[in-house]
Amino acid sequence: MRGEVFGLRAKARTAGLIGIAQGMLIARYDLPGPEAAFALLREGSQQRNVPLRVLASAVVTAPPPQSDDEWFPGRGTHAPPPDTAFLRSYRGDATDRRQIIAAALDTAIAVAEADAGEVHLTDPAQDHALFLEAHRGLDAAYWDEVALVTEPPVPGALAQSRLAPVAVPDVAADENLAAHPAGQALLAAGSHAVYSVPLITPERYCTGTLTLHRNDPGTWPGPARRAELLRLASDVAAWRSWYRRTVVLDALEHLHQHRPGRDPNGR
């Protein structure tokens, strides 16, 4: 039941964003109404395997199409995925967002010897808030508290604002976090130590966080594992920058070129 309620709340959190994207598409392409706009979004999402919320965010934040035929003229040859240790070990499809995020989370949990973990990614259409993308070993009551993170003392938000890892050796002893609903949900879920690493691009922009949990309080992980987590976080940040510049823009291009009423021959 809690999982079902979480799912309903997650949909409610994204409904406003999707509605804004629908309105923009209606105005831009003279569509007959919200249903046609949603169908166009869904078709672009399915054809390019980009989550509907991610595509809607791109519609809202991208500059308007630069020509009738192409959204982004002159993009040229796509850059290959970044050559990182994480992607080399993954060996899967770098365009599969869900699988990449899941693999990154599993790798982080293994590196940190954690009992649970979660991945958040920023959304530029919603003031770079952190959206929960994947989790392991955490209950629905906690998911609901961190489905959308906007400010401290949640460790991921602290890591995002500081552009540096945040360690909470004992959640119960951290007065700010223990008094916060997310901290209370952590303790109720049996998580007593937290370590959050920001996903930082070379331009020093935080594009998300990897957060690990342990059931027992204490200082952790050790220096070598912290360094390994930083390398993993950097690799995931590089992948996400590439994904947004290539896969997401391809989805926008597909949407633009397959809009209702467009002549496929460009006439």
Side-chain angles (χ1 to χ4, degrees):
M1 180 64 72
R2 283 183 176 177
E4 291 177 5
V5 171
F6 171 77
L8 291 172
R9 288 180 177 172
K11 289 180 180 179
R13 291 184 184 102
T14 61
L17 174 62
I18 292 173
I20 294 170
Q22 286 174 277
M24 294 179 68
L25 294 175
I26 290 169
R28 181 173 291 160
Y29 299 136
D30 194 26
L31 300 179
E35 294 81 6
F38 185 81
L40 181 58
L41 276 172
R42 182 176 57 195
E43 199 268 343
S45 169
Q46 293 174 344
Q47 288 297 318
R48 295 295 177 170
N49 194 25
V50 173
L52 191 65
R53 177 179 61 80
V54 175
L55 183 55
S57 177
V59 168
V60 171
T61 58
Q66 299 177 39
S67 79
D68 188 61
D69 294 329
E70 294 181 283
W71 194 313
F72 307 99
R75 285 179 65 204
T77 304
H78 291 0
D83 183 22
T84 64
F86 167 62
L87 286 182
R88 287 195 298 272
S89 65
Y90 170 63
R91 298 180 182 177
D93 182 0
T95 69
D96 192 325
R97 184 177 185 274
R98 180 175 296 179
Q99 291 300 319
I100 285 283
I101 293 171
L105 178 55
D106 290 340
T107 301
I109 289 173
V111 167
E113 297 183 326
D115 295 307
E118 63 198 86
V119 176
H120 285 80
L121 295 180
T122 57
D123 187 340
Q126 302 199 45
D127 199 27
H128 300 286
L130 293 166
F131 278 79
L132 180 63
E133 301 284 350
H135 53 83
R136 298 280 190 275
L138 299 163
D139 65 21
Y142 177 72
W143 308 342
D144 200 35
E145 288 297 335
V146 298
L148 174 63
V149 175
T150 58
E151 59 186 6
V154 179
L158 282 171
Q160 180 189 29
S161 64
R162 295 175 182 175
L163 293 179
V166 168
V168 183
D170 189 345
V171 174
D174 186 306
E175 293 183 1
N176 290 330
L177 183 55
H180 191 275
Q184 294 167 6
L186 273 173
L187 294 171
S191 177
H192 291 270
V194 181
Y195 189 74
S196 188
V197 187
L199 311 179
I200 302 175
T201 68
E203 297 78 25
R204 300 295 294 169
Y205 169 71
C206 179
T207 192
T209 56
L210 282 167
T211 302
L212 293 313
H213 303 255
R214 261 198 171 175
N215 296 339
D216 297 323
T219 301
W220 140 95
R225 293 187 181 275
R226 291 189 181 200
E228 193 171 349
L229 286 171
L230 280 174
R231 288 191 292 271
L232 173 62
S234 178
D235 287 356
V236 177
W239 163 81
R240 195 191 180 202
S241 292
W242 169 84
Y243 179 88
R244 292 172 67 176
R245 294 193 309 268
T246 54
V247 181
V248 174
L249 295 192
D250 283 347
L252 287 177
E253 199 71 73
H254 179 92
L255 182 152
H256 184 56
Q257 294 182 3
H258 292 80
R259 63 190 187 273
R262 179 181 182 270
D263 187 335
N265 297 314
R267 294 194 298 269

